[in-house]
Amino acid sequence: MAQATLTIDLDAIRANWRALAHASGTAEAGAVIKANAYGLGFLPVGRQLLAEGVRKFFVAEAFEGAHARLAVGNRVDVFVFAGHMAGDTDVIRQHGLIPLLNSPEQVTRHRSTLPGHPFGIQLDTGMNRLGLEEAEWRALSAEVLAENPRLIMSHLACADEPDHPMNSAQLAAFRRMTDGTGVPRSLAATGGILLGPDYHFDVTRPGIGLYGGLPFAHATPVVRLSLPVIQIRDVAAGETVGYGNSWTAPDPARIATLAAGYADGLIRAMTGRARVFAGDTPCPLVGRVSMDMMGVDVTHLPGPPEALDILCPAQGIDALAEAAGTIGYEILTSLGHRYARDYKGGAA
Ligand SMILES: *Cc1c(COP(=O)(O)O)cnc(C)c1O
């Protein structure tokens, strides 16, 4: 079978959540499951985290909240980072989502279309991506606080760099804007949790760390991606491999063609830079990564492999990301739709 297998270890996700919940100290750890749980599946991941006791989930957009509800049921909070956009009202009401309102317009829209429906507030503390600015918040805070927001949150721009002065600047701004409000507060994603207790407030929002990625350096790996070998051939010195003849064999070589390519999220930028593994033994990619296939030099292996791993203990999402000039988040969220997804462990 030429279908690659993506193995997702639900017990590893549980172990990572436990570790980040512990690192969150007295704050309640939620879980960010936007983008189909970072590409790993709303349903199995959401169910696992629900069974583990997570009571606050976060998604990026309202329609994702509808998917999240299928996984986590109706008894937990599902917050929406994009807030309450025009056109979102029905889905927010139907699925009991909690929009994190991020502009005066959204506050007005929420109040007029869904009076009394729960909401939270998102503040901008310097990232300049989403959230009410300080002056906007000052103007609105008295009336908004009278309506009992469920959560006030902001997001750190540089939390993966512990020594970056932006962290303490954002922390000071967040305190200035929220001290004394009496509303539960949230500032930290994975990186913020690791910055220490000053950043934890009442609720933390880990995402990437649950799925095994940096900046949670002690994460348990979650994914393995195994690519079947379709064909093996011997090439003579001077022969080329793949589109554009971009690789020429310097010596006689044995080349395996693997059944995955850029349509599966193994981006073309990996050409000439990434490796796959036979156990602990690395094999370099040769020739361009194409849509459905890639070539690998297996000359040095003792026998013909049936499959080779591109994500495995020897090469995690961040190591592969580095070879491709990107980050682990993008490797995960780009994982394609053709893989056989094999969920290991888990609550059910
Ligand atoms: C994506 C996101 C998170 C989770 O961030 P990680 O770095 O993946 O832990 C938390 N909060 C907001 C606002 C986000 O957009």
Side-chain angles (χ1 to χ4, degrees):
M1 193 172 70
Q3 192 181 24
T5 302
L6 178 66
T7 306
I8 297 161
D9 185 346
L10 294 171
D11 290 338
I13 294 177
R14 171 168 56 200
N16 290 330
W17 186 81
R18 280 186 187 173
L20 290 167
H22 181 74
S24 297
T26 55
E28 174 184 355
V32 179
I33 56 170
K34 62 190 178 186
N36 196 29
Y38 289 49
L40 302 183
F42 277 126
L43 270 178
V45 172
R47 281 182 182 149
Q48 172 77 349
L49 291 168
L50 181 74
E52 185 55 23
V54 178
R55 291 296 175 262
K56 289 185 170 54
F57 291 88
F58 295 85
V59 295
E61 302 175 23
F63 82 89
E64 293 185 321
H67 291 292
R69 278 284 180 225
L70 294 173
V72 304
N74 293 320
R75 296 182 171 187
V76 297
D77 292 336
V78 176
F79 293 91
V80 179
F81 290 137
H84 189 156
M85 303 277 289
D88 286 347
T89 304
D90 286 347
V91 75
I92 289 172
R93 180 180 43 224
Q94 259 175 35
H95 297 281
L97 309 177
I98 307 178
L100 292 156
L101 308 179
N102 54 49
S103 67
E105 294 71 27
Q106 289 204 354
V107 170
T108 305
R109 176 179 300 124
H110 190 71
R111 212 180 255 151
S112 62
T113 60
L114 292 176
H117 184 102
F119 67 95
I121 291 289
Q122 184 160 188
L123 300 176
D124 179 44
T125 51
M127 189 177 185
N128 286 310
R129 189 175 69 167
L130 280 185
L132 291 158
E133 307 237 343
E134 188 156 3
E136 293 172 328
W137 174 236
R138 297 268 170 237
L140 280 173
S141 60
E143 51 185 273
V144 165
L145 290 171
E147 296 168 41
N148 291 318
R150 294 288 198 86
L151 189 71
I152 302 182
M153 61 150 291
S154 188
H155 194 50
L156 297 167
C158 303
D160 57 340
E161 297 176 61
D163 298 327
H164 201 295
M166 185 67 166
N167 295 319
S168 54
Q170 287 192 265
L171 177 62
F174 191 59
R175 284 201 174 289
R176 195 166 66 230
M177 291 160 79
T178 62
D179 275 353
T181 57
V183 176
R185 294 185 283 183
S186 176
L187 180 62
T190 302
I193 293 171
L194 303 172
L195 293 179
D198 286 352
Y199 289 82
H200 294 165
F201 294 91
D202 304 295
V203 177
T204 60
R205 311 187 306 269
I208 191 69
L210 306 177
Y211 310 110
L214 289 173
F216 185 27
H218 302 296
T220 304
V222 170
V223 290
R224 175 187 285 272
L225 179 54
S226 184
L227 311 180
V229 174
I230 307 175
Q231 204 178 25
I232 296 185
R233 73 187 62 249
D234 292 315
V235 299
E239 284 196 90
T240 58
V241 172
Y243 281 124
N245 289 0
S246 70
W247 187 80
T248 305
D251 298 298
R254 173 159 286 195
I255 304 298
T257 300
L258 307 185
Y262 59 76
D264 304 291
L266 302 175
I267 57 178
R268 199 163 169 275
M270 290 174 186
T271 296
R273 302 175 62 186
R275 303 180 298 178
V276 296
F277 285 80
D280 294 333
T281 308
C283 307
L285 297 195
V286 294
R288 283 194 193 144
V289 173
S290 52
M291 187 184 295
D292 320 300
M293 283 169 269
M294 59 179 75
V296 177
D297 187 344
V298 295
T299 315
H300 56 300
L301 296 184
E306 284 187 12
L308 293 163
D309 292 339
I310 193 159
L311 291 170
C312 56
Q315 177 171 265
I317 56 173
D318 291 291
L320 180 60
E322 178 149 346
T326 180
I327 55 176
Y329 296 75
E330 193 177 6
I331 296 292
L332 282 183
T333 56
S334 302
L335 289 170
H337 303 284
R338 292 196 289 197
Y339 301 130
R341 285 168 175 247
D342 182 10
Y343 289 92
K344 255 185 23 185

